[in-house]
Amino acid sequence: MNPERPIVGRASKQGAIAAIEAHLAVSKGKPLRAAISEALQAHPSLGGNDRRFVAFAVRELSRHLRRLDLSAKARGRAPSTLALPEDQAIFRYALWRHEFTGADVERVMVEVGLPGPVRPRSMPDAVVREALAKAVTLDFGATPLERAAAQHSFPSWLAAALAEVTPPGELDAVLAALNREPFLSLKVRPNGSRDELLATLLQAGFPVRACGESPDALQLTDEGRAIFDSRWMKEGRLLVMDLGSQLLAGLCRARPGQIVVDWCAGAGGKTIFLADAVGPTGRVYAHDLSAKRLAEAKARTAELKLRHVSFPKEPRLDLAHTVLIDAPCSGTGTLAREPDQKWKLTPAKVAELQKTQLQILDTVARGVKPGTTLVYGTCSLLRDENEAVVERFLATHPDVVADGPPLRVWPHRLDGGGFFGARLVKR
C-alpha cells in the first residue's frame, strides 16, 4: 500500500531510531507531540528532512496502529506474543515502512537492523526479515463497519459513532481523511488582501493556493516549511490556522466596532481572527481556563500589536454582541494532527466532555443580554458533542433559539479538519 501523499522528509537510520523511540513513548502514554519533541532533542544531529520524517513517522504509527497490529498477527508476530514493548515498536515501524511507504525489506532492515535501534530487544534481524517477506492476507472482519474500522485503524466504538453522523456511503472517505497528513492552512491578514498576497507568494515561488471556502484562507500545496522564514510570516501577514477553524470563527459574522468574547480562547488563533474582523474600533475579550495557553495568546496578540484585545479574568459577557464558545472536545475532527487521541478516547470521556460543554453554554447564556449571539463550536465530528449538546441546551433554555442550520465541516470534503458550529441567539 502506498500513501496518498509522498513520504514527508527523508528516512535514515538515525531518523528511524528517533521515530521508534518516540512511538515507544507514545505507546506508554506520553502525548504524541511531547514524545516527538523529546526524541528530536535526544538526536540533535538530525537535519531538517530527517526531523520532518521523524514527526511524520510517529504520527503514521499512531494512525495505522490497528492495521499494523493485524498485519503483525497475520505474520505470526502479534503484539501479544512480543514480550518487550521495544520489539512491538520496532516491528510496527518495519511493517509501516514496508506496507505503507513501499520500502523493500532490505531497505527496512538498514533502518531497524542491529545494532540498534532501541534496547532491550529480543527479535533477531533474521526473524524481522522473514516476517516482513511473508505474504499475508489480512482479515478485516465480516461487516462493512468492522472492515472500515480495521482497514482505517479506528477503535470499533469510534467508527460506529462516526458512522451515525457521516453522510450515507462516505464513512470510508471520512476515516481515510482523518488518517491523511494534513496540508498547512493559513489566514491572510489584513482581511480582504488574500488575492494580492497570493500573487506575491506565487511569484516568490511558494506553493500556495486560495481556498474558496473562506475569503482569507490559503493552503500550502506541498510539505515545504520555508514560508515560516518568509517576511510575510514574520510581519504577521500570515497566521497558521486550520480551514475549519477559520470557518467556525467566520460563523460569528463579527463586524467592525463590535464587542466579541472568545470564551475558550486557547492559544489565540480565533482571537486574532475576531480582532481582525472587529477592527480597532471594536473589542475582543479573550478567556480560557488554561493559563499556559492563554499566555501564548497574550504573547501572539502583543507581537501583532492588537491593542483592542484584552484578557480580563472575568469577561463582561453583558457587553458582548457575540460570544464564541470553541468548547473543549474530543478532537475527533482533527485526528489527522493528533492521531494518538483516538486510542485514548472512550465513550465515558465523551460523556464527561458533553457535561462540560453544557455547563459552559449555560454559564455564558446566563451572563449575556438579550439579542446576543452565541456561537457554539467543536473540532469534533461526534453527534454527542454537537447536535445533541445544542438540542439539550435549547430544551432547557427557552430564551435561546437557533439562528439557522448548523455548520458541518467534513474533513474529506475540504483539506482540513472536521468542525461543527451552531449560531444561537438569546431572545
Side-chain angles (χ1 to χ4, degrees):
M1 174 179 177
N2 291 319
E4 293 186 33
R5 293 180 182 165
I7 187 169
V8 176
R10 178 181 59 228
S12 66
K13 179 79 170 183
Q14 286 301 311
I17 292 172
I20 293 168
E21 289 174 351
H23 175 65
L24 182 61
V26 172
S27 69
K28 294 179 179 180
K30 185 174 289 293
L32 184 143
R33 289 189 182 185
I36 292 173
S37 177
E38 291 179 9
L40 293 178
Q41 290 175 13
H43 297 272
S45 63
L46 290 173
N49 283 330
D50 287 320
R51 295 169 71 85
R52 282 191 287 276
F53 169 78
V54 171
F56 174 67
V58 179
R59 289 192 293 270
E60 284 280 280
L61 291 170
S62 285
R63 284 175 185 140
H64 305 295
L65 183 66
R66 181 173 178 176
R67 180 167 176 149
L68 292 171
D69 286 353
L70 276 175
S71 182
K73 181 179 179 180
R75 297 167 191 276
R77 299 292 167 180
S80 60
T81 68
L82 302 177
L84 298 175
E86 288 79 5
D87 289 338
Q88 296 173 12
I90 291 168
F91 197 44
R92 281 177 186 145
Y93 174 89
L95 287 171
W96 169 71
R97 282 288 282 128
H98 184 51
E99 295 185 5
F100 282 80
T101 74
D104 63 36
V105 173
E106 292 310 313
R107 173 63 234 179
V108 175
M109 294 311 301
V110 168
E111 296 171 26
V112 305
L114 291 167
V118 296
R119 293 287 195 277
R121 174 175 174 178
S122 64
M123 289 182 70
D125 285 356
V127 172
V128 177
R129 181 181 283 105
E130 181 182 1
L132 289 177
K134 184 178 181 180
V136 298
T137 300
L138 303 187
D139 180 8
F140 292 125
T143 69
L145 181 58
E146 289 174 349
R147 288 194 293 273
Q151 285 179 324
H152 298 289
S153 279
F154 275 74
S156 295
W157 76 268
L158 182 53
L162 291 170
E164 290 179 4
V165 295
T166 299
E170 298 183 31
L171 179 62
D172 277 291
V174 169
L175 298 183
L178 292 174
N179 277 338
R180 190 177 299 129
E181 187 74 5
F183 285 129
L184 184 70
S185 297
L186 305 163
K187 179 192 178 298
V188 175
R189 309 176 59 249
N191 293 353
S193 64
R194 180 182 68 182
D195 292 346
E196 173 192 350
L197 184 56
L198 173 62
T200 301
L201 291 171
L202 289 173
Q203 187 175 14
F206 289 101
V208 293
R209 68 175 181 87
C211 301
E213 297 87 355
S214 186
D216 298 302
L218 295 174
Q219 281 186 330
L220 288 183
T221 55
D222 73 6
E223 305 298 337
R225 292 295 185 265
I227 200 162
F228 284 103
D229 295 322
S230 71
R231 67 179 181 86
W232 300 282
M233 186 70 77
K234 294 176 180 178
E235 291 171 357
R237 293 283 318 270
L238 292 170
L239 173 71
V240 176
M241 192 175 190
D242 189 276
L243 182 54
S245 291
Q246 296 186 50
L247 292 172
L248 177 59
L251 192 61
C252 292
R253 302 172 194 166
R255 301 190 303 274
Q258 287 189 329
I259 297 174
V260 180
V261 174
D262 189 359
W263 188 255
C264 301
K270 297 181 187 68
T271 302
I272 298 170
F273 185 108
L274 295 169
D276 288 345
V278 302
T281 61
R283 194 79 191 170
V284 177
Y285 296 109
H287 169 78
D288 200 279
L289 293 179
S290 170
K292 181 178 180 181
R293 299 192 72 197
L294 206 58
E296 183 178 348
K298 291 178 181 178
R300 294 175 72 187
T301 55
E303 185 178 357
L304 295 173
K305 298 181 173 58
L306 296 174
R307 296 181 178 86
H308 57 296
V309 177
S310 55
F311 300 83
K313 187 174 182 180
E314 298 291 339
R316 290 288 301 276
L317 290 170
D318 60 312
L319 298 178
H321 295 94
T322 301
V323 180
L324 172 61
I325 304 166
D326 185 8
C329 71
S330 63
T332 49
T334 56
L335 289 173
R337 299 187 186 281
E338 305 281 352
D340 58 320
Q341 294 304 308
K342 62 182 171 181
W343 307 113
K344 298 176 181 179
L345 192 63
T346 65
K349 178 62 175 176
V350 173
E352 291 176 13
L353 286 165
Q354 187 188 72
K355 291 180 182 178
T356 299
Q357 292 152 0
L358 286 165
Q359 288 170 356
I360 293 173
L361 272 169
D362 179 71
T363 297
V364 172
R366 292 178 186 276
V368 299
K369 63 181 183 296
T372 302
T373 297
L374 310 181
V375 174
Y376 170 78
T378 73
C379 57
S380 172
L381 294 175
L382 302 182
R383 189 181 191 284
D384 283 353
E385 298 180 89
N386 297 328
E387 290 91 348
V389 168
V390 173
E391 290 166 4
R392 288 186 61 180
F393 171 72
L394 293 178
T396 56
H397 291 76
D399 58 336
V400 181
V401 296
D403 180 20
L407 168 74
R408 268 282 188 179
V409 180
W410 293 101
H412 65 303
R413 294 183 180 175
L414 80 169
D415 233 320
F419 280 79
F420 172 88
R423 277 179 62 91
L424 312 171
V425 178
K426 184 171 181 178
R427 295 188 290 193

